[in-house]
Amino acid sequence: MKVVNYKDIPPVVMDNEMVKNVAGRVMIGKADGAKNFCMRLFEMGKDGYTPRHTHDWEHEVFVHAGIGEVLIDDKWHPVSEGSAIFVPANIEHQFRNTSDRTFAFVCLIPSGAPEL
């Protein structure tokens, strides 16, 4: 069992040509004994975005704060606090912040996928 505040987990900051102004945290993962899923929290600052990519696993995403967009299959969809998103396996996708506020979302992936 694990109970933790996300602020107590050091973020991994990502900022390069493929990803901009993003901090990621593994909230619950294989190091915690989670055998089926990994729970991650991503925070994006102003103009932040994740890489446009595909992979063999699905995502389940819940937007915790802010306003942004998710690209799924070449179409941008607006999302905001309270939005839930399902990204199927092998579908090109990307997230981006469209406001001046922090855009934060929780993302679940199956175990075995890279945690960050």
Side-chain angles (χ1 to χ4, degrees):
M1 183 173 148
K2 177 180 181 180
V3 177
V4 65
N5 187 297
Y6 82 97
K7 294 176 186 174
D8 295 332
I9 299 171
V12 174
V13 176
M14 296 165 263
D15 201 354
N16 57 50
E17 65 279 351
M18 293 182 62
V19 58
K20 182 179 176 187
N21 204 7
V22 176
R25 293 174 168 89
V26 175
M27 302 299 295
I28 300 170
K30 61 185 170 189
D32 303 305
K35 296 179 182 176
N36 299 305
F37 297 97
C38 175
M39 178 188 291
R40 300 135 4 126
L41 173 72
F42 292 98
E43 294 176 299
M44 285 182 211
K46 182 179 178 184
D47 300 321
Y49 55 84
T50 63
R52 186 179 289 207
H53 64 289
T54 62
H55 40 66
D56 293 336
W57 57 88
E58 64 190 42
H59 286 282
E60 289 77 22
V61 178
F62 180 77
V63 178
H64 177 69
I67 300 169
E69 292 181 326
V70 58
L71 176 74
I72 300 175
D73 245 357
D74 289 326
K75 183 177 179 193
W76 287 102
H77 303 269
V79 295
S80 60
E81 184 176 324
S83 295
I85 303 127
F86 174 64
V87 181
N90 301 307
I91 298 294
E92 186 174 55
H93 58 284
Q94 180 180 27
F95 291 85
R96 67 183 177 192
N97 187 348
T98 57
S99 76
D100 293 338
R101 296 180 18 218
T102 298
F103 177 49
F105 58 90
V106 173
C107 179
L108 298 176
I109 57 170
S111 61
E115 292 190 329
L116 274 185

